């Protein structure tokens, strides 16, 4: 009898280990980014065949992982003069009856500028760091939460077009969601997370640091300091220069951008050399996985613990 109990205990442990949700892997991160920032996509300029290929890739990733469209399809379309743009919006409904009507948005822009100044015959601005890196991070979290099924609040995974044209994609989506009167708790945009900061620095920083207590809370949820303050972010007013600002404008709820690019660690902003070979996939994978408990804490907090500060 004792041996049977021991065997059952052993099988239970094995079962728990085998059912553990897998975190992001370097292989998957590199595979996704290598496609999104490949020459085949020609710099992902809004309105081009290249960004259409990126949109299809994102949609297929959502489909393969059971992430539902929030609207009738994954696409939130908008017009800019003679150009049609598409935000791609995935949705995982919350599991808690009391919290599922509250939303957390995790976003990044999947467009880029198309072509840049020629260097050694190369004119394609691949946008590996800007912002294929943020796009891949959002896709990895969509994959994780689709398997974990432990998000008490509902989560939207939003990838924007026309960021490079003045935040037009996120402006359209924010206005649409505001008109639908969704209860937006928090929004985080992920911008240029493909390269690490210096070892002495905090892993990442958040824009609009003083506008809410989000950095403090994310660090508590992560059980380590992973989000810090960057003076240049305030100096250059980065809070207003990323897609988070569209949601802040509409909802006046905590809406911030997180980045690991800090003006000292990457020289190729809007440059044709913003290529896959400049990315640090070990860093990216570590960042994605370290953010998971922080995001879970935010998504599953029993009350709205993240609040705006008095200004």
């Amino acid at each position: 009898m004792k041996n049977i109990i021991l065997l059952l205990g052993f099988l239970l442990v094995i079962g728990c280990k085998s059912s553990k949700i897998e975190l992001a892997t370097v292989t998957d991160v590199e595979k996704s980014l290598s496609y999104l920032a490949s020459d085949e996509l020609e710099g992902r300029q809004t309105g081009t065949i290249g960004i259409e290929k990126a949109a299809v890739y994102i949609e297929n990733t959502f489909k393969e992982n059971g992430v539902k469209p929030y609207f009738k399809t994954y696409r939130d379309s908008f017009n800019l003069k003679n150009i049609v743009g598409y935000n791609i919006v995935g949705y995982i409904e919350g599991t808690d009856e009391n919290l599922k009507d509250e939303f957390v948005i995790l976003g990044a822009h999947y467009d880029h500028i198309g072509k840049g100044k020629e260097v050694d015959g190369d004119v394609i601005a691949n946008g590996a760091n800007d912002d294929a890196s943020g796009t891949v991070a959002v896709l990895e979290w969509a994959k994780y939460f689709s398997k974990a099924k432990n998000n008490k609040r509902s989560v939207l995974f939003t990838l924007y077009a026309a960021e490079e044209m003045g935040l037009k994609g996120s402006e359209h989506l924010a206005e649409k969601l505001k008109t639908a009167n969704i209860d937006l708790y928090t929004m985080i945009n992920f911008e240029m997370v493909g390269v690490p900061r210096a070892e002495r620095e905090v892993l990442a920083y958040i824009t609009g640091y003083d506008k809410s207590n989000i950095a403090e809370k994310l660090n508590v949820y992560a059980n380590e300091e992973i989000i810090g303050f960057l003076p240049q972010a305030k100096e250059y007013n980065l809070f207003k220069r990323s897609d988070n600002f569209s949601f802040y404008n509409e909802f006046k709820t905590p809406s911030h951008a997180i980045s690991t690019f800090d003006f000292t660690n990457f020289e190729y902003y809007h440059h044709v050399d913003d290529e896959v070979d400049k990315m640090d996939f070990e860093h990216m994978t570590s960042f994605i996985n370290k953010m998971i408990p922080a995001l879970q804490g935010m998504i599953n907090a029993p009350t709205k613990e993240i609040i705006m500060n008095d200004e």
Side-chain angles (χ1 to χ4, degrees):
M1 186 67 176
K2 183 178 179 182
N3 288 339
I4 292 174
I5 292 172
L6 288 172
L7 177 60
L8 289 173
F10 175 75
L11 291 174
L12 180 61
V13 170
I14 294 297
C16 288
K17 287 183 177 179
S18 64
S19 64
K20 184 178 179 182
I21 306 302
E22 291 185 6
L23 300 178
T25 66
V26 172
T27 300
D28 284 350
V29 170
E30 183 172 0
K31 179 182 177 182
S32 290
L33 200 146
S34 294
Y35 177 72
L36 290 172
S38 65
D39 284 354
E40 180 185 341
L41 273 61
E42 300 180 320
R44 306 188 310 278
Q45 186 172 20
T46 300
T48 66
I49 293 174
I51 197 172
E52 170 63 19
K53 291 179 179 180
V56 170
Y57 182 87
I58 294 165
E59 289 174 312
N60 287 339
T61 301
F62 283 160
K63 287 176 190 174
E64 290 164 7
N65 289 277
V67 179
K68 297 177 181 178
Y70 183 65
F71 303 110
K72 289 183 179 179
T73 71
Y74 291 107
R75 300 200 180 200
D76 165 45
S77 61
F78 57 93
N79 292 84
L80 292 171
K81 296 182 180 179
N82 62 336
I83 295 174
V84 178
Y86 301 100
N87 299 314
I88 310 298
V89 185
Y91 168 56
I92 300 179
E93 186 178 23
T95 61
D96 188 292
E97 285 298 319
N98 296 318
L99 294 176
K100 70 178 184 179
D101 290 335
E102 297 176 10
F103 283 79
V104 168
I105 295 178
L106 305 179
H109 71 93
Y110 74 107
D111 71 313
H112 197 49
I113 62 172
K115 294 182 178 180
K117 184 179 179 180
E118 181 177 343
V119 177
D120 296 330
D122 183 11
V123 296
I124 298 174
N126 301 78
N129 200 18
D130 183 18
D131 190 26
S133 64
T135 299
V136 170
V138 171
L139 291 179
E140 288 298 321
W141 293 318
K143 288 160 62 175
Y144 175 85
F145 283 105
S146 70
K147 294 178 177 68
K149 303 183 189 307
N150 64 358
N151 54 294
K152 293 182 179 181
R153 289 182 175 84
S154 295
V155 185
L156 296 181
F157 302 91
T158 56
L159 290 314
Y160 314 112
E163 188 270 357
E164 300 288 3
M165 301 173 74
L167 313 182
K168 296 302 182 183
S170 58
E171 282 181 3
H172 180 269
L173 180 59
E175 290 173 4
K176 189 171 183 175
L177 294 175
K178 182 64 175 178
T179 300
N181 199 31
I182 74 161
D183 185 356
L184 180 61
Y185 173 33
T186 55
M187 186 279 172
I188 304 180
N189 186 60
F190 294 88
E191 182 81 51
M192 299 181 71
V193 296
V195 293
R197 304 182 70 203
E199 286 188 19
R200 67 182 182 279
E201 303 290 352
V202 179
L203 177 63
Y205 66 89
I206 197 161
T207 65
Y209 184 93
D210 296 328
K211 290 186 176 295
S212 79
N213 65 341
I214 192 169
E216 172 194 344
K217 287 298 181 182
L218 290 176
N219 289 334
V220 169
Y221 300 144
N223 201 31
E224 61 176 312
E225 188 180 15
I226 59 173
I227 306 297
F229 171 75
L230 181 74
Q232 292 97 318
K234 190 169 186 177
E235 179 184 346
Y236 297 130
N237 204 15
L238 297 188
F239 179 75
K240 293 184 177 182
R241 293 172 60 185
S242 234
D243 290 306
N244 60 286
F245 188 64
S246 300
F247 293 89
Y248 173 77
N249 257 347
E250 289 293 335
F251 290 90
K252 296 298 186 288
T253 57
S255 306
H256 302 259
I258 288 177
S259 180
T260 67
F261 161 72
D262 63 9
F263 302 93
T264 68
N265 58 354
F266 192 71
E267 302 174 5
Y268 305 109
Y269 175 70
H270 284 190
H271 192 289
V272 298
D273 285 337
D274 183 2
E275 299 262 17
V276 172
D277 63 4
K278 305 295 191 303
M279 298 299 95
D280 186 325
F281 295 109
E282 294 283 350
H283 152 75
M284 275 190 66
T285 307
S286 175
F287 169 77
I288 291 166
N289 290 333
K290 282 178 178 288
M291 280 299 303
I292 288 174
L295 297 176
Q296 281 181 323
M298 177 175 67
I299 291 165
N300 294 332
T303 61
K304 291 182 176 180
E305 298 176 340
I306 297 171
I307 57 174
M308 298 299 295
N309 292 328
D310 294 332
E311 295 187 69

